Amino acid sequence: DEFTVMLTNVTDEIHASLIAKDILARLAQSYILKGHEVYSSASIGITMSPADGCDVNTLLKNADMAMYEAKDQGRNTFRFFTSEMTDRASQFLEVDKDMRMALSQNELEVHFQPIYTMRDNKLLGVEALLRWQHPQRGLVLPSDFISVAEETGLIEEIGMWVMRRACSEAREWLKYNPDPEFYLAVNVSMRQFKGGFDKAQLQRLLHETGFPADRLLLEITETVLMDDDARTSEVLTEFRDMGVRLAVDDFGTGYSALSYLRKFPVSTLKIDRSFICDINLSSSHRNLVEAIIAMAHGLDLKTIAEGVENAEQAELLKELNCDMVQG
C-alpha cells in the first residue's frame, strides 16, 4: 500500500505541494467496490533533491520519515522532510484556500487610485487596485496574495472579477464626468493571457457592464511582451483595434528593451514607484526617470509616474516633462 512518485523538473517546494494536493484530492474521490461506495485517503512524504540528498536510499528514507510525520499529523495530508519547507507550503495552501473563500464570500474589494495630468493638474483617470478585506487579518494588500494566485491559476478568475467590478462602477462615473479623455486602468497578468484572455472575453465583459472600450486602459507587464508569443501579439493588436489602450506597467524593473515598445501597440509607459519615492533625494533615480521620459516621448508614448505622494515629487516630475502622475 505504498507508492513512490518521482517528479522531475520541479521548480520548488510550492510546485511539489500543488502536485501532492492534487494527488490527495484524486485519491479522496469515492469508488464502487462490490456494490459499496468506498472512500480512501493518503499520507504523503516529500523530499527534495539535491537539498535533502542525492542518492536513492537517502531520498527514500527522507520521504518515508516525512510520510510518517504526515500520518502523525492526522493523515490525508503531506509533509516535507524539512520543517521549514512544510511550513512555507502550508502557508501557501492556507492563503489559496482563504482566497477561494474570499471570492465566494465577497471579501474582495476594488479601490481606485487617481491619475492626474501634470500640465493642468486635471483628474484624467483612475487605476483599479485589488484589496482583500479578510475577516480575521483585516485589509490584506496584493503583495501578500497575488503571487499565490498566480501560482495556482486563481488569478484568472480574480482578474476577471476585478475587471468586471471596476468597469461596472466606472460606468456610473461616466454619467457625471463627460470628459472624453477620462479612462479606467486595469491590470492584466501574464497568467491571464496564458489562460486564454482574448478579444472575445473582453467584448463579453464590456457588453455586460456597458463600459466603452475606448475608455479602458489595460496595464500589462514587460514579461508579457518579452514572452515573444505570436498569440499575445495578435490579441494585443485586436484590443487596440477595439479602441482599448495599452500601457506597460512597472517600466524599468524588468527587461526594459526598446524593441518590444516598437513591436507592440502600447501607448503609455508607467514608471515604477521604486524610482519615484527617492527621486528628490537620488540624482541617479532622477537621471533614470528623465531618460525614460525622453525615450518614451521619442517613441510617441505617454508617461505616468507611479507612487507620487508629495508636492516636491510632483513638481520635479513636472520639470522632467512627465505627462501624468498617480498616487
Side-chain angles (χ1 to χ4, degrees):
D1 63 350
E2 291 189 357
F3 303 88
T4 300
V5 179
M6 181 184 293
L7 302 174
T8 59
N9 299 320
V10 173
T11 54
D12 55 22
E13 68 271 25
I14 299 300
H15 190 180
S17 68
L18 289 173
I19 296 173
K21 183 181 177 184
D22 190 40
I23 291 173
L24 290 174
R26 290 168 186 260
L27 289 176
Q29 295 174 5
S30 64
Y31 57 93
I32 302 300
L33 181 63
K34 295 184 177 180
H36 298 279
E37 189 173 23
V38 179
Y39 294 85
S40 184
S41 65
S43 299
I44 300 178
I46 306 173
T47 189
M48 305 285 285
S49 180
D52 300 338
C54 294
D55 64 280
V56 173
N57 289 334
T58 298
L59 292 172
L60 286 174
K61 181 185 69 175
N62 292 347
D64 210 42
M65 291 173 62
M67 180 192 69
Y68 282 106
E69 176 65 17
K71 288 185 176 182
D72 290 341
Q73 295 299 318
R75 302 175 181 267
N76 199 35
T77 186
F78 64 88
R79 286 291 183 271
F80 285 91
F81 175 63
T82 59
S83 60
E84 293 83 0
M85 294 174 78
T86 298
D87 290 343
R88 184 181 166 205
S90 297
Q91 291 171 5
F92 177 94
L93 293 175
E94 187 69 22
V95 172
D96 178 51
K97 181 191 72 175
D98 285 353
M99 275 193 303
R100 294 178 189 277
M101 188 174 296
L103 268 174
S104 64
Q105 297 188 358
N106 203 32
E107 295 173 7
L108 300 181
E109 301 175 350
V110 176
H111 292 192
F112 296 91
Q113 191 171 63
I115 300 170
Y116 291 91
T117 61
M118 285 272 79
R119 183 181 66 255
D120 49 15
N121 200 35
K122 181 179 72 172
L123 178 65
L124 188 66
V126 294
E127 180 184 352
L129 302 174
L130 178 64
R131 297 292 184 264
W132 178 8
Q133 194 64 49
H134 194 281
Q136 280 81 44
R137 297 163 58 192
L139 190 65
V140 183
L141 299 179
S143 56
D144 294 326
F145 63 89
I146 287 295
S147 60
V148 175
E150 290 272 4
E151 184 78 24
T152 62
L154 188 60
I155 192 64
E156 296 174 33
E157 186 176 350
I158 291 177
M160 293 302 291
W161 181 91
V162 170
M163 191 174 300
R164 182 173 288 104
R165 173 65 65 88
C167 286
S168 297
E169 293 194 27
R171 176 67 184 88
E172 294 302 308
W173 302 347
L174 296 182
K175 298 176 182 177
Y176 308 100
N177 190 338
D179 189 336
E181 294 185 7
F182 184 83
Y183 69 87
L184 166 69
V186 183
N187 289 280
V188 181
S189 74
M190 164 72 88
R191 185 64 183 258
Q192 284 177 264
F193 277 104
K194 293 295 186 184
F197 181 62
D198 59 9
K199 176 182 177 180
Q201 275 193 354
L202 184 57
Q203 282 180 325
R204 282 196 301 270
L205 186 144
L206 294 177
H207 178 73
E208 291 172 13
T209 59
F211 193 80
D214 61 356
R215 300 293 192 93
L216 180 63
L217 182 142
L218 296 181
E219 297 187 5
I220 54 181
T221 61
E222 294 176 82
T223 52
V224 172
L225 302 181
M226 294 297 292
D227 191 44
D228 198 24
D229 186 336
R231 178 188 170 277
T232 299
S233 178
E234 180 183 350
V235 170
L236 293 180
T237 300
E238 289 176 344
F239 288 164
R240 180 200 59 189
D241 294 342
M242 290 171 58
V244 174
R245 285 174 280 182
L246 300 169
V248 179
D249 196 18
D250 302 331
F251 187 81
T253 59
Y255 300 95
S256 304
L258 298 180
S259 58
Y260 71 73
L261 294 178
R262 302 181 64 89
K263 178 180 177 183
F264 293 97
V266 298
S267 62
T268 306
L269 291 187
K270 300 195 70 176
I271 305 170
D272 188 69
R273 64 184 299 119
S274 62
F275 302 123
I276 304 302
C277 62
D278 294 328
I279 191 173
N280 53 327
L281 304 174
S282 169
S283 59
S284 61
H285 280 190
R286 175 188 171 128
N287 294 337
L288 178 58
V289 170
E290 185 175 18
I292 292 175
I293 293 171
M295 177 205 66
H297 290 167
L299 295 172
D300 293 324
L301 302 174
K302 298 291 186 181
T303 54
I304 301 176
E306 298 180 293
V308 179
E309 301 298 343
N310 58 61
E312 189 177 0
Q313 293 170 335
E315 189 60 35
L316 184 52
L317 288 162
K318 189 174 183 178
E319 292 177 15
L320 298 179
N321 295 317
C322 186
D323 299 298
M324 292 163 276
V325 295
Q326 173 180 339

